[in-house]
Amino acid sequence: MKEVVLAPDLAERIRQVYEEMERGYAKVSGQLDFSCDGCLDNCCDSWFHHYTFVEWGYLWVGFCQLPKAKQAEILERSRLYVVVSEQTLAKKERPQVMCPLNENGRCVLYAHRLMVCRTHGVPATMQRPDGQRLDFPGCYRCQELVRKTYNDSDMSQVPRMERTLLLRELVKLENELMDGKRHLYPRLKLTIAQMLVAGPPKIATPHCER
Ligand code: SF4
Ligand code: SF4
């Protein structure tokens, strides 16, 4: 197994999927007149996981472009994040630790951040492969805005970002990354800190380089 970051063609295609995600997000946030400006919260300290190797690899494409001293700083924060969150989980509490990539409220790897980071704020909808439709209400601040703007009877009119096709594209890239052998790899569920501490994903595939 090679320790890898993504080959340029795959990295470019995930960049395009992310660009499409940004357009979808911008459209809905524009319709709702919603933005993160002035938010006193910062959802980068929320406890959430990521599920695709291809996004993990793309995060590392960005990480490898940082100066070595910055990488070392971030890795130090990541190790601390993992220790603190494990201690919190051991107490059966939900961790709330600032993401190691957040510096002074801003994401150091903004262009390489993952899907969950990109889509969290606005309401969204998605159809699962089994046909079940999932609705996401958006962050608490966007939910407040929606409640102020729409009556209960108007809720079906609330603009929502459609994630289905974007997720399908990600799954397609994930399958390509693994040469159609995704089923041979373990299920992934990692925080960004864990993805950094662990190093780039280890995958035997021609779609990676190191
Ligand atoms: S997504 Fe919502 S909670 Fe997060 S920073 Fe933006 S407004 Fe604040
Ligand atoms: S990767 Fe960036 S956007 Fe995502 S939680 Fe970390 S700092 Fe925030």
Side-chain angles (χ1 to χ4, degrees):
M1 290 260 194
K2 284 193 291 183
E3 198 178 64
V4 292
V5 289
L6 302 189
D9 63 324
L10 207 59
E12 170 55 20
R13 285 169 58 211
I14 190 167
R15 192 194 64 73
Q16 289 171 6
V17 174
Y18 282 158
E19 209 173 71
E20 191 59 36
M21 240 171 240
E22 265 164 36
R23 277 194 286 274
Y25 187 98
K27 185 171 171 208
V28 173
S29 59
Q31 287 167 332
L32 286 168
D33 198 17
F34 167 76
S35 87
C36 296
D37 291 349
C39 180
L40 299 176
D41 202 358
N42 187 323
C43 38
C44 297
D45 66 3
S46 306
W47 178 245
F48 51 83
H49 293 97
H50 306 274
Y51 301 92
T52 60
F53 285 86
V54 75
E55 288 194 285
W56 180 3
Y58 192 63
L59 184 75
W60 267 88
V61 171
F63 186 74
C64 289
Q65 291 165 8
L66 294 172
K68 293 284 175 222
K70 179 57 69 185
Q71 291 184 6
E73 257 178 55
I74 292 170
L75 286 178
E76 188 51 39
R77 289 204 294 268
S78 300
R79 285 189 276 270
L80 194 60
Y81 182 108
V82 171
V83 170
V84 172
S85 55
E86 281 174 359
Q87 286 170 347
T88 310
L89 288 170
K91 289 188 271 176
K92 308 244 180 286
E93 292 169 13
R94 191 180 175 84
Q96 188 174 14
V97 191
M98 184 51 76
C99 174
L101 288 175
N102 190 298
E103 285 186 0
N104 304 317
R106 305 194 83 82
C107 180
V108 179
L109 288 181
Y110 191 76
H112 295 83
R113 71 199 192 285
L114 285 74
M115 181 178 77
V116 175
C117 306
R118 291 168 188 270
T119 53
H120 172 66
V122 300
T125 183
M126 187 184 91
Q127 186 168 12
R128 292 198 330 192
D130 64 6
Q132 192 187 339
R133 192 154 272 287
L134 303 178
D135 282 320
F136 305 90
C139 74
Y140 79 96
R141 203 159 161 254
C142 194
Q143 289 180 52
E144 280 172 13
L145 174 71
V146 165
R147 277 195 297 272
K148 275 188 211 149
T149 317
Y150 293 85
N151 299 322
D152 283 350
S153 55
D154 289 342
M155 282 303 179
S156 61
Q157 306 302 315
V158 175
R160 289 180 171 80
M161 184 179 165
E162 175 54 71
R163 292 186 190 171
T164 310
L165 291 179
L166 295 166
L167 199 71
R168 270 187 212 153
E169 274 307 306
L170 266 188
V171 170
K172 208 163 118 191
L173 294 179
E174 181 86 336
N175 279 331
E176 275 185 45
L177 173 67
M178 288 149 155
D179 273 347
K181 298 188 182 99
R182 176 68 184 87
H183 57 287
L184 297 182
Y185 291 84
R187 187 170 169 261
L188 195 71
K189 187 180 176 190
L190 294 177
T191 62
I192 282 171
Q194 288 172 317
M195 286 179 166
L196 291 171
V197 170
K202 294 173 185 59
I203 301 165
T205 161
H207 299 290
C208 299
E209 59 177 22
R210 180 85 170 140

